[in-house]
Amino acid sequence: MNKNHCKQENIRLGTHGEDYGSWMSNPVFYIIGGIGVLAAVLAVLSFYVLHVAVLGVLFTVITIALLVLLIWITWIRRQYAFGGGGIMEQVHRVVLSHLDYDGEGKILEVGCGSGALTIRSALTWPKAKVIGVDYWGAVYNYSKALCEKNAAREGVASRCVFQHGDAKQLDFPDESFDVVISNYVYHNVMGADMQKLLLESLRVLKKSGVFALNDDMKPKMYGDMEGFAQKLRDMGYEKVRLVDTAQEAFGSHRRAAMMMLGSSRLLVGRK
Protein backbone atom coordinates (compact mmCIF):
# COMPACT_ATOMS: atom_id res chain seq x y z
CA MET A 1 0.00 0.00 0.00
CA ASN A 2 1.09 3.61 -0.51
CA LYS A 3 0.15 6.99 0.87
CA ASN A 4 -2.90 7.26 -1.41
CA HIS A 5 -4.62 4.56 0.65
CA CYS A 6 -4.84 6.81 3.68
CA LYS A 7 -6.19 9.70 1.62
CA GLN A 8 -8.88 7.51 0.09
CA GLU A 9 -10.20 6.53 3.49
CA ASN A 10 -11.56 10.08 3.74
CA ILE A 11 -13.32 9.90 0.37
CA ARG A 12 -16.96 8.84 0.64
CA LEU A 13 -18.80 8.63 -2.65
CA GLY A 14 -22.57 8.83 -2.93
CA THR A 15 -23.14 11.40 -0.19
CA HIS A 16 -24.47 14.13 -2.50
CA GLY A 17 -27.36 12.26 -4.11
CA GLU A 18 -25.24 10.44 -6.71
CA ASP A 19 -26.49 7.24 -8.31
CA TYR A 20 -23.72 4.67 -8.76
CA GLY A 21 -26.02 1.73 -9.27
CA SER A 22 -24.92 -1.79 -8.39
CA TRP A 23 -22.83 -4.59 -9.86
CA MET A 24 -25.92 -6.84 -9.68
CA SER A 25 -28.15 -5.30 -12.36
CA ASN A 26 -31.95 -5.02 -12.36
CA PRO A 27 -32.54 -7.32 -15.38
CA VAL A 28 -31.01 -10.22 -13.40
CA PHE A 29 -33.69 -9.77 -10.73
CA TYR A 30 -36.47 -9.44 -13.31
CA ILE A 31 -35.43 -12.62 -15.11
CA ILE A 32 -35.02 -14.74 -11.97
CA GLY A 33 -38.19 -13.32 -10.42
CA GLY A 34 -40.19 -13.87 -13.60
CA ILE A 35 -39.05 -17.48 -13.95
CA GLY A 36 -39.80 -18.03 -10.27
CA VAL A 37 -43.37 -16.77 -10.64
CA LEU A 38 -43.85 -18.94 -13.73
CA ALA A 39 -42.53 -22.00 -11.88
CA ALA A 40 -44.90 -21.30 -8.96
CA VAL A 41 -47.89 -21.03 -11.33
CA LEU A 42 -46.92 -24.27 -13.05
CA ALA A 43 -46.60 -25.99 -9.67
CA VAL A 44 -50.13 -24.95 -8.73
CA LEU A 45 -51.50 -26.05 -12.11
CA SER A 46 -49.69 -29.38 -11.87
CA PHE A 47 -51.16 -30.14 -8.43
CA TYR A 48 -54.70 -28.79 -8.77
CA VAL A 49 -55.54 -28.80 -12.48
CA LEU A 50 -53.43 -31.48 -14.16
CA HIS A 51 -53.21 -33.60 -10.99
CA VAL A 52 -49.67 -34.66 -11.84
CA ALA A 53 -47.89 -34.75 -8.49
CA VAL A 54 -44.44 -35.41 -9.94
CA LEU A 55 -44.59 -32.23 -12.02
CA GLY A 56 -45.97 -30.31 -9.05
CA VAL A 57 -43.06 -31.38 -6.85
CA LEU A 58 -40.55 -30.57 -9.62
CA PHE A 59 -41.89 -27.05 -10.15
CA THR A 60 -42.11 -26.50 -6.38
CA VAL A 61 -38.44 -27.40 -5.99
CA ILE A 62 -37.56 -25.05 -8.85
CA THR A 63 -39.60 -22.25 -7.24
CA ILE A 64 -37.85 -22.69 -3.88
CA ALA A 65 -34.41 -22.80 -5.55
CA LEU A 66 -35.12 -19.59 -7.46
CA LEU A 67 -36.39 -17.91 -4.28
CA VAL A 68 -33.16 -18.83 -2.48
CA LEU A 69 -31.17 -17.53 -5.46
CA LEU A 70 -33.15 -14.28 -5.40
CA ILE A 71 -32.43 -13.82 -1.68
CA TRP A 72 -28.74 -14.53 -2.30
CA ILE A 73 -28.30 -12.01 -5.12
CA THR A 74 -30.29 -9.42 -3.13
CA TRP A 75 -27.74 -9.85 -0.34
CA ILE A 76 -24.87 -9.58 -2.86
CA ARG A 77 -26.35 -6.40 -4.30
CA ARG A 78 -26.62 -4.87 -0.84
CA GLN A 79 -23.01 -5.78 -0.04
CA TYR A 80 -21.70 -4.11 -3.19
CA ALA A 81 -23.89 -1.01 -2.95
CA PHE A 82 -22.50 2.43 -2.17
CA GLY A 83 -24.18 3.33 1.10
CA GLY A 84 -24.78 -0.38 1.73
CA GLY A 85 -22.07 -2.92 2.42
CA GLY A 86 -19.58 -0.76 0.52
CA ILE A 87 -17.58 -3.67 -0.89
CA MET A 88 -17.18 -2.13 -4.34
CA GLU A 89 -15.94 1.11 -2.81
CA GLN A 90 -13.38 -0.91 -0.84
CA VAL A 91 -12.30 -2.62 -4.07
CA HIS A 92 -11.81 0.81 -5.66
CA ARG A 93 -9.63 1.90 -2.74
CA VAL A 94 -7.46 -1.18 -3.14
CA VAL A 95 -7.08 -0.71 -6.90
CA LEU A 96 -5.94 2.90 -6.61
CA SER A 97 -3.72 2.25 -3.59
CA HIS A 98 -1.42 0.10 -5.74
CA LEU A 99 -0.63 2.92 -8.17
CA ASP A 100 2.79 4.54 -7.77
CA TYR A 101 1.57 7.79 -9.28
CA ASP A 102 2.47 11.45 -8.65
CA GLY A 103 -0.96 12.79 -9.62
CA GLU A 104 0.11 14.68 -12.76
CA GLY A 105 -1.24 14.13 -16.28
CA LYS A 106 -4.11 11.98 -17.56
CA ILE A 107 -5.82 8.85 -16.26
CA LEU A 108 -7.91 6.46 -18.35
CA GLU A 109 -10.50 4.13 -16.86
CA VAL A 110 -11.52 1.33 -19.22
CA GLY A 111 -15.14 0.45 -18.50
CA CYS A 112 -16.27 3.29 -16.24
CA GLY A 113 -19.89 2.13 -15.74
CA SER A 114 -21.57 4.75 -13.55
CA GLY A 115 -18.34 6.71 -13.11
CA ALA A 116 -17.50 5.75 -9.53
CA LEU A 117 -13.84 4.78 -10.01
CA THR A 118 -13.21 7.64 -12.46
CA ILE A 119 -14.61 10.09 -9.92
CA ARG A 120 -12.66 8.55 -7.04
CA SER A 121 -9.49 8.94 -9.10
CA ALA A 122 -10.26 12.62 -9.69
CA LEU A 123 -10.85 13.15 -5.96
CA THR A 124 -7.65 11.28 -5.07
CA TRP A 125 -5.45 13.26 -7.49
CA PRO A 126 -6.78 16.84 -7.78
CA LYS A 127 -4.32 17.80 -10.56
CA ALA A 128 -5.17 14.91 -12.86
CA LYS A 129 -7.62 14.80 -15.75
CA VAL A 130 -9.58 11.55 -15.83
CA ILE A 131 -11.23 10.00 -18.88
CA GLY A 132 -13.77 7.21 -18.47
CA VAL A 133 -14.82 5.09 -21.45
CA ASP A 134 -17.59 2.52 -21.57
CA TYR A 135 -19.74 0.66 -24.07
CA TRP A 136 -22.77 1.22 -21.79
CA GLY A 137 -24.68 -1.87 -22.86
CA ALA A 138 -28.33 -2.52 -22.04
CA VAL A 139 -27.70 -4.87 -19.09
CA TYR A 140 -26.86 -2.04 -16.68
CA ASN A 141 -28.71 1.23 -16.25
CA TYR A 142 -25.51 3.22 -16.79
CA SER A 143 -24.92 5.99 -19.32
CA LYS A 144 -22.67 8.91 -20.18
CA ALA A 145 -25.32 11.31 -18.82
CA LEU A 146 -25.42 9.45 -15.48
CA CYS A 147 -21.61 9.59 -15.19
CA GLU A 148 -21.56 13.31 -15.93
CA LYS A 149 -24.32 13.94 -13.39
CA ASN A 150 -22.43 12.01 -10.70
CA ALA A 151 -19.18 13.85 -11.46
CA ALA A 152 -20.95 17.21 -11.24
CA ARG A 153 -22.44 16.37 -7.84
CA GLU A 154 -19.06 15.22 -6.55
CA GLY A 155 -17.52 18.52 -7.72
CA VAL A 156 -15.11 17.06 -10.30
CA ALA A 157 -17.00 17.59 -13.56
CA SER A 158 -14.31 19.95 -14.89
CA ARG A 159 -11.66 17.19 -14.69
CA CYS A 160 -13.73 14.16 -15.74
CA VAL A 161 -14.60 13.31 -19.34
CA PHE A 162 -16.83 10.38 -20.25
CA GLN A 163 -17.16 8.89 -23.71
CA HIS A 164 -18.40 5.81 -25.51
CA GLY A 165 -15.67 3.28 -26.17
CA ASP A 166 -14.86 -0.34 -26.88
CA ALA A 167 -12.25 -2.13 -24.75
CA LYS A 168 -11.30 -4.28 -27.76
CA GLN A 169 -10.23 -1.20 -29.74
CA LEU A 170 -9.70 1.96 -27.73
CA ASP A 171 -10.10 5.17 -29.68
CA PHE A 172 -6.83 6.70 -28.50
CA PRO A 173 -3.32 6.86 -29.99
CA ASP A 174 -0.47 4.84 -28.52
CA GLU A 175 1.00 6.23 -25.29
CA SER A 176 -1.79 8.73 -24.53
CA PHE A 177 -2.16 8.29 -20.76
CA ASP A 178 -0.03 8.42 -17.62
CA VAL A 179 -2.28 5.89 -15.85
CA VAL A 180 -4.65 3.17 -17.04
CA ILE A 181 -7.09 1.53 -14.63
CA SER A 182 -9.97 -0.91 -14.96
CA ASN A 183 -12.23 -2.80 -12.57
CA TYR A 184 -14.30 -5.93 -13.33
CA VAL A 185 -14.77 -5.08 -16.99
CA TYR A 186 -12.89 -7.41 -19.30
CA HIS A 187 -14.76 -10.60 -18.33
CA ASN A 188 -17.96 -8.93 -19.61
CA VAL A 189 -16.55 -8.59 -23.15
CA MET A 190 -18.07 -11.70 -24.71
CA GLY A 191 -15.88 -13.82 -26.95
CA ALA A 192 -12.76 -11.71 -26.43
CA ASP A 193 -9.23 -12.87 -25.65
CA MET A 194 -8.65 -11.47 -22.16
CA GLN A 195 -4.90 -11.10 -22.52
CA LYS A 196 -5.36 -9.22 -25.81
CA LEU A 197 -7.77 -6.88 -24.04
CA LEU A 198 -5.14 -6.20 -21.39
CA LEU A 199 -2.54 -5.47 -24.06
CA GLU A 200 -4.93 -3.09 -25.81
CA SER A 201 -5.39 -1.15 -22.57
CA LEU A 202 -1.61 -1.04 -22.08
CA ARG A 203 -1.11 0.15 -25.67
CA VAL A 204 -2.44 3.61 -24.76
CA LEU A 205 -0.23 3.89 -21.66
CA LYS A 206 2.78 6.22 -21.91
CA LYS A 207 6.29 4.96 -21.41
CA SER A 208 6.92 5.06 -17.63
CA GLY A 209 3.15 5.19 -17.04
CA VAL A 210 1.53 2.96 -14.40
CA PHE A 211 -1.44 0.60 -14.54
CA ALA A 212 -3.83 -1.26 -12.23
CA LEU A 213 -6.21 -3.65 -13.98
CA ASN A 214 -8.56 -5.62 -11.73
CA ASP A 215 -10.89 -8.42 -12.80
CA ASP A 216 -12.25 -11.84 -11.90
CA MET A 217 -9.35 -13.62 -13.59
CA LYS A 218 -10.64 -17.17 -13.82
CA PRO A 219 -7.97 -19.42 -15.39
CA LYS A 220 -10.45 -20.83 -17.94
CA MET A 221 -11.08 -17.29 -19.18
CA TYR A 222 -7.70 -15.61 -18.63
CA GLY A 223 -5.26 -18.46 -19.05
CA ASP A 224 -1.84 -18.37 -17.37
CA MET A 225 -1.67 -14.91 -15.82
CA GLU A 226 1.67 -15.57 -14.14
CA GLY A 227 3.02 -16.32 -17.61
CA PHE A 228 1.39 -13.15 -18.96
CA ALA A 229 2.99 -11.08 -16.20
CA GLN A 230 6.36 -12.54 -17.16
CA LYS A 231 5.64 -11.73 -20.81
CA LEU A 232 5.15 -8.09 -19.84
CA ARG A 233 8.45 -8.11 -17.95
CA ASP A 234 10.16 -9.56 -21.01
CA MET A 235 8.64 -6.70 -23.06
CA GLY A 236 10.31 -4.17 -20.74
CA TYR A 237 7.52 -3.49 -18.24
CA GLU A 238 8.70 -2.93 -14.67
CA LYS A 239 7.41 -3.92 -11.22
CA VAL A 240 4.76 -6.16 -12.79
CA ARG A 241 2.92 -8.25 -10.24
CA LEU A 242 -0.44 -9.86 -9.54
CA VAL A 243 -2.25 -8.78 -6.38
CA ASP A 244 -4.80 -11.09 -4.76
CA THR A 245 -7.75 -8.69 -4.49
CA ALA A 246 -10.08 -11.50 -3.39
CA GLN A 247 -8.07 -11.53 -0.17
CA GLU A 248 -7.08 -7.88 0.03
CA ALA A 249 -10.40 -6.23 -0.88
CA PHE A 250 -12.96 -8.81 0.30
CA GLY A 251 -11.04 -10.12 3.30
CA SER A 252 -11.01 -13.76 2.20
CA HIS A 253 -11.40 -15.97 -0.85
CA ARG A 254 -14.51 -17.51 0.69
CA ARG A 255 -16.23 -14.15 1.05
CA ALA A 256 -15.22 -13.12 -2.46
CA ALA A 257 -16.57 -16.41 -3.82
CA MET A 258 -19.87 -15.85 -2.01
CA MET A 259 -20.11 -12.59 -3.98
CA MET A 260 -19.23 -14.31 -7.29
CA LEU A 261 -15.74 -12.79 -7.52
CA GLY A 262 -13.59 -15.49 -5.98
CA SER A 263 -10.84 -15.23 -8.62
CA SER A 264 -10.28 -11.49 -8.28
CA ARG A 265 -6.74 -10.42 -9.14
CA LEU A 266 -5.13 -7.07 -9.88
CA LEU A 267 -2.41 -6.70 -12.51
CA VAL A 268 -0.16 -3.75 -11.66
CA GLY A 269 3.11 -2.36 -12.92
CA ARG A 270 4.93 0.33 -14.87
CA LYS A 271 5.48 0.48 -18.63
Side-chain angles (χ1 to χ4, degrees):
M1 295 290 176
N2 61 32
K3 62 184 180 181
N4 294 321
H5 181 74
C6 296
K7 181 174 182 179
Q8 288 179 67
E9 292 297 331
N10 298 320
I11 297 174
R12 291 288 183 272
L13 298 186
T15 57
H16 306 94
E18 300 81 5
D19 176 13
Y20 291 115
S22 174
W23 179 74
M24 191 64 69
S25 64
N26 288 334
V28 173
F29 289 85
Y30 301 152
I31 292 170
I32 294 174
I35 295 174
V37 170
L38 177 60
V41 170
L42 291 174
V44 171
L45 290 175
S46 297
F47 279 123
Y48 300 105
V49 177
L50 300 177
H51 303 290
V52 181
V54 173
L55 279 179
V57 171
L58 175 62
F59 286 122
T60 298
V61 170
I62 292 173
T63 301
I64 293 172
L66 289 171
L67 179 60
V68 171
L69 178 59
L70 198 60
I71 293 171
W72 179 35
I73 65 174
T74 299
W75 174 78
I76 291 174
R77 183 174 189 170
R78 179 63 180 172
Q79 292 302 305
Y80 283 129
F82 290 84
I87 292 296
M88 194 53 68
E89 192 164 19
Q90 173 61 16
V91 172
H92 290 174
R93 291 191 190 102
V94 169
V95 170
L96 298 188
S97 71
H98 283 282
L99 289 170
D100 182 13
Y101 175 49
D102 63 7
E104 301 286 342
K106 296 193 299 182
I107 302 170
L108 172 68
E109 183 190 1
V110 179
C112 60
S114 60
L117 184 55
T118 297
I119 291 167
R120 174 172 285 276
S121 299
L123 291 169
T124 302
W125 294 290
K127 295 182 180 180
K129 180 177 181 180
V130 193
I131 293 86
V133 300
D134 202 291
Y135 196 76
W136 289 306
V139 175
Y140 295 94
N141 296 320
Y142 300 152
S143 65
K144 177 181 178 181
L146 176 63
C147 291
E148 291 174 342
K149 182 178 180 181
N150 287 336
R153 289 185 172 180
E154 295 282 10
V156 293
S158 63
R159 294 188 293 109
C160 291
V161 175
F162 299 96
Q163 63 188 67
H164 185 273
D166 186 344
K168 291 185 288 187
Q169 189 173 1
L170 295 170
D171 191 21
F172 302 105
D174 295 355
E175 301 188 9
S176 298
F177 296 92
D178 301 277
V179 178
V180 176
I181 56 177
S182 186
N183 188 55
Y184 299 129
V185 171
Y186 303 113
H187 72 274
N188 290 314
V189 183
M190 302 303 294
D193 182 312
M194 297 298 111
Q195 294 187 10
K196 286 184 178 179
L197 286 179
L198 293 172
L199 289 172
E200 172 62 11
S201 294
L202 295 176
R203 175 185 65 80
V204 302
L205 184 64
K206 292 179 180 179
K207 186 64 178 175
S208 79
V210 293
F211 58 92
L213 309 174
N214 188 49
D215 201 8
D216 192 37
M217 297 183 180
K218 293 182 173 65
K220 287 185 178 180
M221 183 177 291
Y222 268 85
D224 179 9
M225 282 304 294
E226 294 292 348
F228 181 74
Q230 185 57 51
K231 177 182 177 179
L232 293 180
R233 296 183 194 107
D234 293 342
M235 293 169 62
Y237 287 78
E238 301 174 353
K239 300 181 180 179
V240 179
R241 67 189 191 281
L242 288 160
V243 178
D244 185 356
T245 45
Q247 180 68 42
E248 191 167 310
F250 290 84
S252 70
H253 286 270
R254 181 175 177 273
R255 190 181 187 201
M258 287 176 64
M259 299 183 196
M260 301 184 181
L261 293 173
S263 299
S264 293
R265 299 177 88 185
L266 176 68
L267 179 69
V268 298
R270 182 178 296 276
K271 192 169 185 179

